[in-house]
């Protein structure tokens, strides 16, 4: 289902679809805007179905409860909650909307594309592996952004077609969000989750 959110600091479109034959999506996401910052995250439970869904949802709940912490701390808290559960891959991006900084970290193969207002694309390299409660080395990146920058966060079930900054700059309505996703997101047989945002 495609949803469009219009917030103070970001316009964001989201789309999810479970793997063919499953009623539950093994992916989960969260979008929070609180006190001048935005937290966006996508997790993908290993495998598919009920256990993958349960793990990815538990991680999103941890993020909702710890959104004020640093990205590194958030991921460490998420890792702690996965002891004796199915593992997940996870990307967390925190936008400081007052200082105009992006804070990013990723464990595993959740994609993140960032397009600056001048058209430069940034694609940070994620940490290898997955979260499963075992000790993990969490590396983070930080870089500035300007109003008008856009970003895409997506699970590995998403196949993008010719996604460029100019395709995203009119993310201003639900109808426009639907057109962008229908044109650039290819349907696959895997769980699908994608977030597309434009920063004010």
């Amino acid at each position: 289902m495609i949803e469009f959110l219009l917030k103070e600091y970001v316009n964001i479109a989201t789309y999810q679809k479970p793997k063919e034959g499953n009623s539950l999506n093994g992916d989960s996401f969260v979008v929070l805007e609180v006190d001048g910052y935005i937290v966006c995250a996508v997790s993908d439970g290993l495998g598919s179905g009920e256990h993958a869904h349960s793990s990815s949802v538990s991680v999103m709940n941890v993020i909702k409860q710890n959104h004020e912490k640093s990205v590194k701390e958030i991921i460490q808290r998420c890792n702690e909650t996965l002891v004796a559960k199915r593992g997940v891959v996870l990307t967390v991006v925190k936008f400081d909307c007052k200082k105009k900084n992006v804070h990013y970290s990723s464990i595993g193969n959740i994609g993140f594309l960032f397009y600056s207002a001048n058209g430069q694309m940034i694609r940070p390299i994620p940490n290898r592996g997955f979260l499963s409660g075992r000790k993990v080395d969490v590396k983070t990146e930080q870089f500035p952004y300007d109003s008008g920058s856009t970003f895409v966060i997506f699970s590995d079930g998403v196949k993008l077609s010719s996604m460029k900054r100019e395709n995203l700059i009119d993310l201003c309505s639900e109808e426009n969000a639907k057109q962008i996703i229908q044109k650039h997101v290819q349907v696959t047989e895997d769980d699908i989750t994608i977030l597309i945002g434009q920063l004010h």
Side-chain angles (χ1 to χ4, degrees):
M1 183 172 72
I2 298 172
E3 293 185 355
F4 178 71
L5 304 173
L6 179 60
K7 294 181 174 287
E8 182 178 358
Y9 293 105
V10 67
N11 298 354
I12 191 159
T14 67
Y15 173 59
Q16 280 199 298
K17 185 183 80 65
K19 183 177 181 178
E20 194 71 32
N22 288 349
S23 59
L24 294 174
N25 194 326
D27 304 341
S28 296
F29 73 90
V30 67
V31 177
L32 301 170
E33 185 177 280
V34 186
D35 297 332
Y37 62 86
I38 302 160
V39 177
C40 296
V42 173
S43 66
D44 180 355
L46 301 185
S48 61
E50 181 180 351
H51 294 298
H53 175 78
S54 175
S55 289
S56 65
V57 167
S58 69
V59 164
M60 293 300 105
N61 289 335
V62 170
I63 294 173
K64 291 174 185 176
Q65 295 162 8
N66 294 275
H67 56 76
E68 77 285 355
K69 295 180 170 58
S70 71
V71 167
K72 184 172 185 175
E73 289 177 291
I74 290 171
I75 289 184
Q76 289 171 336
R77 294 289 180 94
C78 291
N79 191 40
E80 291 167 4
T81 200
L82 291 169
V83 174
K85 292 183 180 178
R86 183 79 61 89
V88 305
V89 293
L90 172 68
T91 288
V92 179
V93 187
K94 191 169 187 176
F95 301 93
D96 184 330
C97 304
K98 295 178 179 177
K99 295 182 179 179
K100 294 292 182 78
N101 281 323
V102 181
H103 301 262
Y104 160 90
S105 188
S106 180
I107 307 289
N109 57 354
I110 301 291
F112 176 60
L113 304 175
F114 184 87
Y115 300 89
S116 66
N118 65 12
Q120 178 187 7
M121 187 183 82
I122 299 172
R123 187 169 192 166
I125 299 173
N127 299 285
R128 290 184 176 182
F130 55 92
L131 301 178
S132 62
R134 293 175 291 186
K135 185 176 179 180
V136 64
D137 183 22
V138 180
K139 298 176 182 177
T140 63
E141 291 190 43
Q142 179 180 335
F143 52 90
Y145 77 88
D146 296 316
S147 297
S149 297
T150 56
F151 63 91
V152 186
I153 309 173
F154 53 98
S155 64
D156 68 342
V158 173
K159 305 300 179 190
L160 297 178
S161 173
S162 63
M163 182 72 78
K164 300 178 181 178
R165 178 181 176 273
E166 53 265 33
N167 303 138
L168 309 177
I169 57 176
D170 294 324
L171 189 62
C172 56
S173 69
E174 184 171 357
E175 183 58 35
N176 181 258
K178 288 179 180 178
Q179 290 174 1
I180 290 172
I181 289 173
Q182 289 169 353
K183 182 175 181 179
H184 297 289
V185 178
Q186 300 175 24
V187 176
T188 71
E189 295 181 356
D190 202 352
D191 292 327
I192 289 176
T193 297
I194 185 168
L195 279 58
I196 302 174
Q198 182 175 33
L199 296 154
H200 303 168

